[in-house]
Amino acid sequence: MSEIDEKLRAELQRQGVWVTSMQDLYNWGRKNSIWPLQFGLACCAIEMIATAASRYDIARFGGEVFRPSPRQADLMIVAGTVTKKMAPQIVRLYNQMADPKYVIAMGACAISGGPFKQGYNVLKGIDRYIPVDVFIPGCPPRPEALLHAFMELQRKIDEQKLTGAQKAEHLRPEQPSEFPVPKFGEHDLEPPANRDVFQPPKLERV
Amino acid sequence: MESLEQIKTRAEAAVPGARIDIVPNPGPANQRSLLIDNEHALAVAHFLRDDPALLLDFCSNVTGVDWLDRVAKKTAKIKTVVDGVEKEVDQTTEEKIPGYLEAVYHLYSMTHKHGPVIIRMRTRDRAEGARLPSLTAIWRSAEFQEREIFDLYGIRFDGHPDLRRILMWDEFEDYPMRKDYAQPDDFEWEPTPHDEVLTRAKEHYTPRPQLDGAEEITATD
């Protein structure tokens, strides 16, 4: 598990000896078979479908196995407008996914509410209720952008540690893997945002 | 298709007691509509659908309008005696018109390929009296759209087979398309605020730092 000197590793490889660590092997396996949850919310889902189809072919990155059950999925691609009526279901689906799990917020709507931000029925970003790993702007983002986000997520998984103080969140029992499902309130969702997950950025005046 | 005046005359003849007004449209479209009284709305709708010359068998669109309380100003010239001389003076009278809600139906005929004929119904007020007869019995396609009006404007349709909210959740209590709808205050993070959004976002801004006189110092000092 300890770190190997890169020069030594390269030298060994030249001699025909392949040395790796448990962590590298584990992360290499995980990052190359990310199973997304098969669901779409709006027009971004069409781009997601295009990404999965033959022209863009997300299978090149090991992400072609779209699972219709959250129990079998590693990645939630929030592709489209999240209405306030749909938000509790999204959070519930996320809660039902097994750890380790990742979220890509795809498109302007999923990251902020997008063009419908001022509407009475649109959630201003799914990051108000669940932690998001990669945000992709765009309306909708092109398949290349989704692939880029996918590669970014792979990079992120590759850097996750299995031991030590900096180890990955899903290996730390004190980190929550489920988040409260918002309730339908009389005027808005209750609560309007999960403050443990979402804090609005502070504006600094100088 | 016959003119709106002809339709009005024939409908009033066919339905005894029906009161129909023609609502003018001052806009460039000049698309006038028939205002139907609530008591005879079903009978008039029946006539519009089944009359052989009209056969308005297709209800393409149903929508709502919210009219707040408003004051209508009328200017009239009246003759008064000022200093023994008779003069014409403009007198403005203000008339308070209480608010109401409207349902607007756009009707076409598939058989005759004509339309639209637009009919309206008005509620008594915007609160308890916001009730209208449902026209779902005449045009089946009005069912979901009347539910949508109920959801967003709060008009209750008497005789509707299944009057529930259709877009918002059942626990929701407001009517978002009404003009006095107050949005919940979730403007704490607005990256590109403008207009009303800016005003509401500013309430969440941290206050400016106290002035200490340093901003008065200029480069020449």
Side-chain angles (χ1 to χ4, degrees):
Chain A
M1 210 60 154
S2 59
E3 299 295 316
I4 307 166
D5 183 51
E6 278 303 314
K7 279 183 183 167
L8 177 63
R9 197 218 294 255
E11 181 56 32
L12 282 168
Q13 219 161 45
R14 215 167 293 131
Q15 304 297 328
V17 181
W18 189 60
V19 184
T20 186
S21 65
M22 189 61 204
Q23 178 174 296
D24 287 349
L25 202 62
Y26 179 77
N27 284 346
W28 171 79
R30 285 197 310 130
K31 78 169 187 182
N32 287 305
S33 104
I34 302 173
W35 292 11
L37 183 59
Q38 187 178 42
F39 81 108
L41 296 172
C43 28
C44 278
I46 306 298
E47 299 296 302
M48 185 178 72
I49 294 161
T51 315
S54 52
R55 185 173 172 116
Y56 296 98
D57 197 9
I58 203 169
R60 294 178 294 150
F61 304 89
E64 77 279 21
V65 192
F66 279 81
R67 302 309 293 193
S69 162
R71 310 282 182 201
Q72 303 166 350
D74 308 309
L75 168 64
M76 175 180 246
I77 303 174
V78 184
T81 318
V82 186
T83 59
K84 286 179 178 173
K85 203 174 176 180
M86 185 60 89
Q89 281 80 276
I90 303 289
V91 179
R92 191 167 287 123
L93 282 173
Y94 179 77
N95 287 347
Q96 287 171 353
M97 285 164 65
D99 262 337
K101 49 189 171 184
Y102 304 93
V103 178
I104 292 177
M106 181 182 182
C109 294
I111 67 179
S112 73
F116 313 110
K117 191 179 172 76
Q118 306 315 333
Y120 51 85
N121 60 339
V122 175
L123 186 70
K124 293 178 175 178
I126 192 62
D127 55 330
R128 281 169 190 248
Y129 291 115
I130 55 176
V132 175
D133 293 282
V134 187
F135 295 86
I136 332 169
C139 187
R142 285 191 53 85
E144 291 93 329
L146 181 58
L147 290 176
H148 178 67
F150 203 81
M151 289 158 72
E152 206 59 53
L153 182 68
Q154 287 182 326
R155 210 162 292 140
K156 200 171 174 174
I157 292 173
D158 205 29
E159 284 165 8
Q160 287 191 322
K161 300 271 184 291
L162 295 190
T163 50
Q166 299 297 312
K167 67 180 173 183
E169 281 187 0
H170 67 273
L171 297 170
R172 282 187 275 166
E174 78 277 7
Q175 287 288 333
S177 80
E178 290 185 16
F179 292 88
V181 178
K183 302 260 183 316
F184 289 132
E186 291 169 5
H187 305 288
D188 199 1
L189 288 177
E190 298 289 342
N194 183 354
R195 291 291 163 206
D196 297 336
V197 177
F198 174 77
Q199 288 292 337
K202 282 264 181 328
L203 279 176
E204 294 289 335
R205 291 186 177 278
V206 282
Chain B
M1 195 177 61
E2 50 197 334
S3 73
L4 223 53
E5 282 80 5
Q6 284 170 306
I7 297 175
K8 167 183 147 74
T9 324
R10 290 209 301 123
E12 281 176 334
V15 184
R19 299 181 306 279
I20 301 175
D21 291 318
I22 293 178
V23 182
N25 184 344
N30 194 23
Q31 198 167 41
R32 299 179 303 160
S33 47
L34 296 173
L35 180 66
I36 294 171
D37 70 306
N38 299 347
E39 290 76 35
H40 302 90
L42 266 176
V44 172
H46 245 297
F47 166 79
L48 292 176
R49 190 192 65 181
D50 293 342
D51 181 70
L54 288 171
L55 277 180
L56 298 163
D57 46 14
F58 174 48
C59 175
S60 87
N61 180 38
V62 188
T63 188
V65 189
D66 182 16
W67 295 96
L68 295 171
D69 298 345
R70 63 183 197 271
V71 177
K73 279 185 181 171
K74 274 184 186 168
T75 324
K77 285 206 164 133
I78 51 160
K79 285 183 179 172
T80 45
V81 183
V82 182
D83 302 332
V85 188
E86 199 177 34
K87 277 189 177 174
E88 271 200 347
V89 181
D90 285 349
Q91 194 193 30
T92 328
T93 48
E94 288 193 345
E95 191 195 357
K96 261 198 168 173
I97 301 171
Y100 48 83
L101 297 158
E102 267 180 359
V104 185
Y105 294 71
H106 288 223
L107 309 174
Y108 291 81
S109 172
M110 282 285 157
T111 318
H112 293 317
K113 309 243 182 300
H114 66 205
V117 171
I118 301 153
I119 60 171
R120 290 165 188 256
M121 294 188 288
R122 270 179 200 171
T123 64
R124 191 156 45 81
D125 54 49
R126 298 173 74 253
E128 288 305 304
R131 305 189 81 91
L132 287 177
S134 168
L135 299 187
T136 302
I138 315 289
W139 294 285
R140 191 69 172 76
S141 59
E143 182 186 341
F144 273 19
Q145 307 202 51
E146 284 180 351
R147 271 179 72 184
E148 192 177 334
I149 297 176
F150 166 69
D151 191 352
L152 303 180
Y153 289 91
I155 301 177
R156 277 161 188 78
F157 286 92
D158 297 318
H160 192 281
D162 181 26
L163 195 64
R164 288 178 292 135
R165 283 190 180 270
I166 192 168
L167 297 171
M168 306 303 281
W169 51 91
D170 291 335
E171 296 87 344
F172 195 69
E173 286 188 350
D174 299 338
Y175 301 113
M177 290 292 275
R178 286 202 187 182
K179 284 172 180 167
D180 53 1
Y181 169 66
Q183 265 197 306
D185 187 17
D186 55 355
F187 292 82
E188 71 270 55
W189 172 232
E190 295 290 338
T192 53
H194 51 84
D195 304 334
E196 193 206 345
V197 180
L198 179 61
T199 323
R200 302 211 46 185
K202 272 182 178 170
E203 294 165 18
H204 294 274
Y205 286 4
T206 46
R208 281 182 181 279
Q210 286 293 312
L211 302 179
D212 57 0
E215 72 282 351
E216 303 286 336
I217 302 168
T218 60
T220 51
D221 285 339

